[in-house]
Amino acid sequence: MNRIQPRIWIAIFTLHTGIAHGFQEQPFAKNPSVRGAPEIIHFGLDDFQSDPMMMAMCEDSSGVKYFGNQDGLLIFDGETWARLELPNKSLVKSLYYGSDHKVYLGGFNEFGTVERDKFGQYQYSSMVDMAKVDHLNLDFVYDIHEVQGHIIFRSMSKLIAIKGQKALTIPTSGFYSSAVVDDRLYMANWEDGIKEFDLHTMNFDLLIPKPLYQWNPIVSITAGNSAETLSIFTRDGQIYSYHLESKHFLLVRNLFNKTSTNQVTGAVRTKDGDYYIGTLADQLIMLTANGKTIPLNKPIIGLQDESVNNLYESKNGNLWVLLENGIDCINLSSPVSTVFNKASVFDVQLFQGIWYIATNQGVWASVQGLTGGPFKHMQFEPIAGLDGQAWSLTSIENQLLCGHEKGLFVIKGKDIKQIPASDGVWKVIPIQEKPGHYLVCTYYAPYLMSINSTGDFQIDNVISGFSESSRDILQSEPGVFWVCHGFKGVFRIKINPDYQSVVSVEHFEEAGLPSPYKVNVFSWKGEPVFTTSKGLYSFNDSLDVFQPHSLLNDILDPNIETRKIMETKDRTWYIHNDEVGYFNHEDNPVLQSEAFLQTRGTFNKHMESITLLDNGVLIGTKKGLFAFDLSSRTGSPVPHSVRISQLSYQNGNSRILLPLDNPLEILASQTQNLRFEYTVPQMDMLNDVRYSYQLSGADQVWSDWEDKPWKEYNSLDPGTYEFSVRAKSKLGESFLTAQHTLIVRPPWHQTTLAFVSYFILGLALIFLCVKVILRLLEEQRQRTILEAEKQNKILRLELDRMQLAQEKNQFESTKTSLEEDLLLKSKELANYATLLSRKQELMIELREELTDLENNTRNEKTRQDLKSLIRKIKIRLNDDDYIKVFEANFERAHHEFFSELKERYPDLTSKELRLCALVKMNLTNKEIAPIMNISIRGIETARYRLRKRLSIHDDMVEFLEKLAP
């Protein structure tokens, strides 16, 4: 869907440093009502995804629109489009909504009804079989009418009249156009002319012979502007009037010139008495109720296609245009219309019957007055020489002044004259105490201006002593002015009586104000009022501070920025919370802003342009000028309601439709992504409907307003819920709330029967559990006894283990003691063996010395004595008793060593065992030799032989050490 006309909610903000001339109220007598071009909504292929050539339309009581095209039937509920094909894939040529609340349609060899089922889906029911007609010879059903209690289907060859379950087929020939006016059926015949058919008498009465309208094909027959008259439109553009009583037939006008190839394709008479005529090549023509013809071509309307196939007026009074390539809806019922859309608007002034608009692209003037009809279109052209930023338009001394970035200008029609002054003039204000003198407010300093004897304006002087921008200025008393600077705060200046210079300047950066920024001054109830980002303030002269304005802050929330206020006769207009509105001067004022919500956040900031009219207001925005008709019922409840169009839930990858029964019972399992879809069909998608919803039992409060026409809930608990949805348009229209009761049944395992079953089963389980528990207790008692016995056995075993451990400890202690004693004895044996070895060495040395002494002595007796002594020593050396004693002690000390040695090597001799013992004691060969009474060489030989017998490859001492100690 595409909108070529700009939406009305257009920005009205720019920089704070711009002009703040604010609102202006002109005398109502000079400000007639203005209605610009209505908004148009285009519906094309991207919207309905079907053939774009439209042929027929109707609307049901809920506001749902039905369109016939080449593919069948299109259905539009205000939010979504649906398609419906006929059984024979025929196009839909005709549509009608009957008093029985059924939609009737006709196609090629097919006709029937369309109704909405309980799931919100549209279903077609053919009536061909019920009417008992040969549908193969029916051809196209061109028109459907309701007349004299019957539904009439008209084809070229027959009329089919249906009443209830009865059908009557009436053969005809040559009827190509038909219409019903005041319950009378009129039809145009190729051969005779226009006839009236009476179902009661079954007669065709000729009313207008064909020659009277010059054999031109009849396109439309509608009610006339007066009672008992018909308006008849021909294809070639003739409009006739026929009086039913006098039979007077008159050519009213011819829409086309003789050379035109254009054709009339359809006509409709609206509730207001205006006629809209569709053409083949020039869009629309409007014929007002007072007889004025207005071509509604692109400069005024701007349809998306030149060729109009048909026209339809909806219940809202909007005009639907069926085109060769799409659908256009002209919003005739909206209180908002476009006056100007070529630039950003800063000021508007009606002067000498011409509308002037100050914009960022200069000044534009209306070159065409208000046209008739509901459009009242104005054409604007720019005034040469005033290109660039124009700030203000002021009517003074019967002259129109323009404050411009280039200076100050006088506008006379399309001519301009510049008044010598400084560049950059915001505006001109009168001086209260000096009639005929004015203050020119500029970017840098104020100027004094007066009107001379010739009636021309002249700049008298620059008012010295103050060089700040005076774009926002208000005179409070003679010579005293308040000046608000966007960033520097507030100044109060006093000018001398001849307005030559400023004699005092008071600068208030705060002085009670919340901030020096974004402060503006206006007059309200005869006193200066200052708007800020934190409420409204007045000035206390005695305390020399700004104080909150209690009355205004009670009406306008001080926590929200207020930028403008303007007092009129019986109400105050404001810019508050970035939106425009007003409140009446009464005891409990109520803010009225819903009618202007579409302008929220769209103003030129601190440069808002609002001009009051007789019954409306003009609002200037960044994208143009728009008219609001305040005489409409905007903001009041209307008898339209929200409709819940579909209910569905998610099942895997599929969405399952639910019936729209109220109340609706569903299972808890059917609340997976449960979606409510809703719409306001009557709104025609013209006013951007917003919705708010609440599901009692799930939502604590109503939701915020949002554009989304659906709401999903997931996994609702069993219970009763009531879904409520309300809607309002951005023009302030509100609608009746739709409600739908939803009963979510629990799954079978949560039903009452299931709970009774659970209770019985629970009792059985309790009984069984008691039995099992008693059995388990008995088994536990037995296990306890066994466990106690087992524990006693374990205890006894533990005591035995502790006793064995104690004995083991004692044994280990004894063993350790014995090992220590053995070690000590081993050391003693080693010492003994060492001493024994030394003793033997000593005796050998003594024997050798005695032998030497014997050989050297001469005395025989001494020699014999020496021999005897040597013999005793030799006997003593050969005596091995001491060796046996040593071996016995060593074997006792190292019993395990000898046992293992003898076990592993049983063929060892006693000398070899002895040698092993001496080696284990780590004695040297030199120490072993005397003990064994052999030489050191003999010891070495003995050890060598012993190593071979023991197969020792490593050190012999280490080998013996590895044996048992």
Side-chain angles (χ1 to χ4, degrees), residues 438-594:
Y438 304 91
L439 207 64
V440 180
C441 305
T442 74
Y443 292 1
Y444 308 107
Y447 288 68
L448 177 64
M449 184 179 72
S450 64
I451 188 166
N452 58 28
S453 58
T454 62
D456 295 326
F457 289 104
Q458 64 182 21
I459 299 297
D460 296 330
N461 58 269
V462 178
I463 300 174
S464 61
F466 186 75
S467 59
E468 298 292 346
S469 170
S470 54
R471 63 152 182 86
D472 189 11
I473 187 169
L474 176 71
Q475 185 174 8
S476 59
E477 55 185 278
V480 178
F481 295 83
W482 290 97
V483 181
C484 294
H485 192 284
F487 303 102
K488 296 182 179 180
V490 181
F491 298 88
R492 182 165 64 174
I493 64 175
K494 186 173 183 180
I495 305 175
N496 63 0
D498 59 3
Y499 277 78
Q500 295 293 316
S501 63
V502 174
V503 296
S504 69
V505 177
E506 296 176 89
H507 186 195
F508 304 93
E509 291 191 80
E510 290 187 2
L513 294 173
S515 168
Y517 308 113
K518 300 181 180 180
V519 181
N520 296 107
V521 61
F522 302 92
S523 178
W524 193 77
K525 302 294 184 183
E527 65 170 339
V529 173
F530 300 84
T531 62
T532 73
S533 59
K534 296 291 184 180
L536 295 98
Y537 288 77
S538 59
F539 188 74
N540 189 318
D541 286 307
S542 60
L543 299 177
D544 208 29
V545 295
F546 294 91
Q547 294 179 331
H549 198 292
S550 58
L551 179 57
L552 287 174
N553 284 332
D554 287 341
I555 301 172
L556 299 170
D557 187 353
N559 296 315
I560 300 173
E561 180 183 20
T562 299
R563 291 203 303 271
K564 297 287 182 182
I565 60 170
M566 181 192 73
E567 180 187 11
T568 64
K569 297 175 182 178
D570 57 354
R571 63 180 55 161
T572 293
W573 289 80
Y574 60 83
I575 299 290
H576 179 65
N577 193 25
D578 242 4
E579 63 189 32
V580 64
Y582 65 87
F583 59 86
N584 293 321
H585 298 162
E586 51 191 27
D587 293 338
N588 296 306
V590 177
L591 301 184
Q592 303 288 339
S593 63
E594 286 194 344

Side-chain angles (χ1 to χ4, degrees), residues 160-180:
I160 301 170
I162 296 179
K163 184 176 183 179
Q165 297 299 314
K166 296 181 180 181
L168 175 64
T169 301
I170 306 163
T172 61
S173 177
F175 288 104
Y176 63 90
S177 179
S178 58
V180 171

Side-chain angles (χ1 to χ4, degrees), residues 173-227:
S173 177
F175 288 104
Y176 63 90
S177 179
S178 58
V180 171
V181 179
D182 293 332
D183 204 31
R184 298 170 70 174
L185 177 60
Y186 303 98
M187 297 190 296
N189 186 276
W190 287 116
E191 297 178 359
D192 303 322
I194 299 176
K195 296 182 178 182
E196 180 183 357
F197 176 67
D198 191 339
L199 277 170
H200 299 300
T201 63
M202 303 299 290
N203 291 328
F204 290 91
D205 297 327
L206 180 63
L207 299 182
I208 307 171
K210 193 171 182 181
L212 292 181
Y213 50 88
Q214 301 174 10
W215 307 90
N216 288 320
I218 302 299
V219 173
S220 295
I221 302 173
T222 69
N225 285 331
S226 62

